[in-house]
């Protein structure tokens, strides 16, 4: 039996609003540790990871590990019916094919039960190894959201460059170019307005603004966002959920072919790292199974040096392809 | 001559916003008693009744009874031009084919006259007999509006069940089920937040959420809504207008055929009471004239026991039909 | 080199929001005097004139006169990326084909540079002679905006009549008529709520509401609007920009043919003054060059009495034509 009671119910409402447009269907995993979710977006370009630790719930009962497949759009519809001050309880009986969301108003005068059918979703749990990042930027979440929104009125991609002095966001489009620089700034009075840069090495990476904008739907969850960047790793955009955990988004950088390869630039402008540098160690371990991230099994066998043999990487394809048919077998491990 | 001056002009603005989407054209009736309206919605399923008593007006002059046919959309357009603090005066000369709405700003610096052509609308005045209801629920209008809106994200109909403890609103749809219970709660501090149940008998009735949602557009008119329910009567959803009267909506319940008849459930899921129980006394008096409610004449002849011979009833049809062509002769009494 | 630093950057954001839908492309003129713009709307019916005087800028450097052709929609897109409290600097190098907008946040922690390509736009500078107006109305800008919006729910044109007592705005449409009177009112306490009428002669003129509504997008710029009216002149709708200058809109009146000519009223309802009174001195000087307003050259030659020989006039055409193809050569003076 599962029964998770969250006094600050609006938290899970905000989480759903943040991820429902990115991911259609996904498994929520419940264990003694907490309530978590990990899923690729529908075009298999970005990855979402949510953790709500058990300690953050007022009441947390999870008799055995449970994986519940849900349509996130439908789940969001139901949670939207909870008041912002409501206490939300997630309930499921053992072996049941449905989950119940219970909403209690603060005065207990209004009690709602929403029951939703669960789905069978084939997916493997992708291991995301901890990594050292060359640059980590922490800045106000609303500032980051504003920058991504502003830049996408000008161009389609953002170049993020980190130096000791600050972080620069740039774009280019038909109507011109834009550069926005945020300087390091450690406001002691208002820590939520600080911009703090931890830099081992300067880094410059390019990302699709469409995804960045989608990630910033998590802005209501946290006052600050943390952006972790390394040349050969997907960026991590993290929103911490106070006393509970986090909502993280992973996105692989784009490669500007004309910059790094200098050929065929007209034909195909951007390609994934994997495609662009096929000889390097980032290459998929088994050619026949182009796993997006390594599975749990793989993680065990490469535990000590996860970044060497099978670094986490996300397949980035030119926009033409990600909008069309992509290989769904990436997620299906028989 | 007619001249009705309403200091709180925003009242009539709110009334128009509440009914303009439900009713296209209707006759407003002016008499010494007050300014009133009674009309079926365009698909002849719901009935709207408005009363603004003469005592509520600052100045009320109505030399003789007058029926003014108006297009409610156009009237709403004109009234929208009044400021929220404006004094509104409705004026018509005897025998004139137009009505004038005058708006005076509180400072008297801005005076507007809007003149609208009247229409000839054929309609009979339907008698709505007073009835005893098995259950009467009074609750915050905004709460009721929120519930109807929330449930309609899940399903098309709402089942309202009243017991001594509270009132339950339920629905069912493709993505799951929802139950919302509001408990009896007599807040002495905040009477506008009370939920009060007067129950003679428990009652469970099903209604189309589409209409309920339409009724809740009257929410700005009153802090509380009163829902009066009886098994064989249309529900009355009433918004009281302080010191003036009321805006009432009537809607016949749906019958879940598979529950009460157990046959043909797959073919036609819901039918009106009239159709489902054709042998009972609710049957239309004259088969050739399927009047939606009885006319004034009928009312006189059955005055003493209106609920026995010709109870008020509204024709409910499966959605397929109400959206298509319906017999308009229902309203035309030659 | 050009460098204009405006501490109150939101001013220029508001200007762009006010004109971007009216004018597509236009030349901004920079001189020692200030930063200005003068352009016809895309259907050559209305004229916009902006002046931001050099004294209003914190820093104003303009080495030589410069005319910069910009797409106003793109410029507005870029300026929308400035925060409302940002300092905005407009920069251009001599001979450069681009302009840079720099936005500095109040704390200097965020600095943005937006660079936009300039365009070559053929246009002549139209001289707008100062004129004496028969009636000048000053009223709250939000009141004027509300009236134009309200009237356009009823009709397409507004008749503005000024008398000593006040100003009347009237319209007529399929659903009826509307008259709104604003009385002279000199609030000493709240000068921004005053309505002040300076009248030499009463005047009654008709204008297209579509344009009036477009002008009122400048409402956020000023608490008061000034409307200057004369029988034979385009109306001037002016929003003063505190300590900097103004944003002015010019629009030629419509002639109700059936009132003044009494013929062919069914066929063509409204015509421009120019078309309706072809024998008068307002006639275009050279038939082969139907200039909308006179060019700088013309202005010189008629300097002393501009209102006699070539009064400013705007071509008004029936709506049917202004929405279709109009002669663009009006602006192209070879």
């Amino acid at each position: 039996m599962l029964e998770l009671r969250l006094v600050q119910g609006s938290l899970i409402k905000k989480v759903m609003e943040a991820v429902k447009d990115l991911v259609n269907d996904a498994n929520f995993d419940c264990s003694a540790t907490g309530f978590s979710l990990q899923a690729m977006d529908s075009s298999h370009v970005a990855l979402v990871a949510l953790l709500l630790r058990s300690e953050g719930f007022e009441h947390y009962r999870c008799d055995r590990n449970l994986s519940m497949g849900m349509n996130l759009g439908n789940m969001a519809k139901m949670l939207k019916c909870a008041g912002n001050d409501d206490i939300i309880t997630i309930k499921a009986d053992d072996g049941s094919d449905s989950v119940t969301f219970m909403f209690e108003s603060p005065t207990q005068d209004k009690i709602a039960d929403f029951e939703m059918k669960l789905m069978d979703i084939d997916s493997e749990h992708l291991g995301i190894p901890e990594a050292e990042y060359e640059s980590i930027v922490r800045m106000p979440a609303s500032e980051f959201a504003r920058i991504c929104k502003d830049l996408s009125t000008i161009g389609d991609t953002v170049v993020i460059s980190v130096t000791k002095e600050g972080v620069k966001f740039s774009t280019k489009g038909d109507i011109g170019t834009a550069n926005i620089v945020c300087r390091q700034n450690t406001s002691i009075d208002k820590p939520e307005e600080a911009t703090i840069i931890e830099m081992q090495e300067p880094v410059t990476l390019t990302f699709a603004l469409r995804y960045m904008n989608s990630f910033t739907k998590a802005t209501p969850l946290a006052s600050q966002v943390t952006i972790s960047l390394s040349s050969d790793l997907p960026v991590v955009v993290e929103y911490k959920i106070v006393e509970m955990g986090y909502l993280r988004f992973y996105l692989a950088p784009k490669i500007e072919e004309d910059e790094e390869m200098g050929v065929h630039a007209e034909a195909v402008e951007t390609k994934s790292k994997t495609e662009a540098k096929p000889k390097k160690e980032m290459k998929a371990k088994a050619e026949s199974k182009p796993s997006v991230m390594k599975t749990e099994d793989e993680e065990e066998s490469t535990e000590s040096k996860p970044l060497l043999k099978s670094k986490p990487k996300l397949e980035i394809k030119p926009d033409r392809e990600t909008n069309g048919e992509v290989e769904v077998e990436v997620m299906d491990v028989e």
Side-chain angles (χ1 to χ4, degrees), chain A:
Chain A
M1 180 170 171
L2 178 85
E3 200 173 296
L4 320 181
R5 185 176 159 93
L6 186 60
V7 174
Q8 210 184 332
S10 61
L11 264 186
I12 200 160
K13 289 183 69 176
K14 288 176 190 165
V15 167
M16 292 315 300
E17 289 308 304
V19 301
K20 77 175 161 71
D21 293 333
L22 200 60
V23 179
N24 294 336
D25 303 314
N27 285 318
F28 280 85
D29 297 307
C30 310
S31 70
T33 323
F35 187 68
S36 65
L37 164 87
Q38 200 196 72
M40 299 295 290
D41 84 290
S42 45
S43 51
H44 290 247
V45 169
L47 185 134
V48 180
L50 164 75
L51 173 63
L52 299 175
R53 272 185 287 268
S54 50
E55 307 92 78
F57 291 83
E58 196 207 19
H59 173 75
Y60 192 96
R61 177 177 169 185
C62 176
D63 296 347
R64 55 186 192 81
N65 288 4
L66 202 62
S67 187
M68 299 188 293
M70 306 202 204
N71 175 287
L72 269 59
N74 292 344
M75 185 179 170
K77 265 189 192 172
M78 290 193 164
L79 289 169
K80 251 193 175 164
C81 299
N84 281 328
D85 300 324
D86 282 5
I87 299 165
I88 295 183
T89 306
I90 302 172
K91 292 194 280 195
D93 286 325
D94 286 337
S96 167
D97 63 345
S98 69
V99 61
T100 297
F101 305 106
M102 189 173 86
F103 314 139
E104 299 163 67
S105 72
T107 57
Q108 297 288 327
D109 288 329
K110 182 179 167 191
I111 312 279
D113 284 288
F114 283 72
E115 193 180 323
M116 190 174 82
K117 278 261 173 306
L118 294 175
M119 308 166 69
D120 264 325
I121 300 172
D122 259 353
S123 80
E124 54 177 315
H125 196 276
L126 308 164
I128 305 167
E130 288 289 319
E132 294 267 316
Y133 287 91
E134 295 167 358
S135 291
I136 299 176
V137 177
R138 214 172 75 217
M139 63 186 292
S142 56
E143 188 81 280
F144 177 63
R146 173 78 198 260
I147 289 170
C148 291
K149 185 173 141 277
D150 283 347
L151 292 187
S152 55
T153 65
I154 311 294
D156 296 327
T157 57
V158 56
V159 181
I160 305 182
S161 314
V162 185
T163 62
K164 278 224 155 61
E165 288 69 39
V167 52
K168 184 166 83 172
F169 303 88
S170 310
T171 195
K172 193 190 285 192
D174 292 342
I175 71 170
T177 62
N179 294 293
I180 302 176
V181 175
C182 294
R183 291 188 193 149
Q184 164 113 262
N185 146 35
T186 48
S187 291
I188 306 170
D189 299 351
K190 302 183 180 173
E192 71 280 7
E193 290 180 13
T195 297
I196 292 164
I197 288 157
E198 290 171 36
M199 198 197 79
Q200 313 291 326
E201 264 182 84
V203 61
T204 295
L205 291 168
T206 306
F207 302 98
L209 274 168
R210 196 176 132 234
Y211 286 98
M212 285 292 175
N213 269 315
S214 185
F215 302 164
T216 62
K217 288 188 181 148
T219 303
L221 274 172
S223 61
Q224 292 255 317
V225 63
T226 305
I227 306 160
S228 304
L229 299 137
S230 270
S231 312
D232 290 331
L233 292 176
V235 64
V236 189
V237 178
E238 174 175 330
Y239 296 85
K240 289 212 158 53
I241 302 173
V242 180
E243 291 173 25
M244 297 224 53
Y246 55 76
L247 181 58
R248 287 182 189 150
F249 300 94
Y250 296 81
L251 179 66
K254 289 197 158 212
I255 288 195
E256 299 295 329
E257 233 187 49
D258 51 357
E259 284 174 21
E260 299 205 24
M261 318 253 316
V263 288
H264 310 309
E266 331 73 20
V268 183
E269 263 192 80
T270 55
K271 261 192 169 181
S272 77
K273 291 262 182 199
T274 350
E275 288 169 315
K277 303 181 175 174
K279 300 284 163 55
K280 280 206 173 179
E281 79 284 359
M282 284 184 307
K283 198 179 153 193
K285 241 173 85 181
E287 289 292 339
S288 58
K289 188 178 62 172
S291 71
V292 169
M293 286 207 172
K294 68 188 176 316
T295 62
E296 298 278 27
D297 291 349
E298 287 172 335
E299 186 171 32
E300 277 171 46
S301 65
T302 61
E303 206 166 36
S304 49
K305 35 180 179 167
L307 291 176
L308 282 189
K309 275 206 84 173
S310 61
K311 266 184 201 210
K313 66 198 128 51
L314 305 179
E315 270 200 306
I316 292 285
K317 291 164 188 286
D319 280 344
R320 279 174 298 284
E321 286 179 51
T322 53
N323 291 329
E325 294 303 308
V326 281
E327 320 86 62
V328 289
E329 76 272 20
V330 164
M331 298 293 279
D332 298 342
V333 174
E334 268 93 30

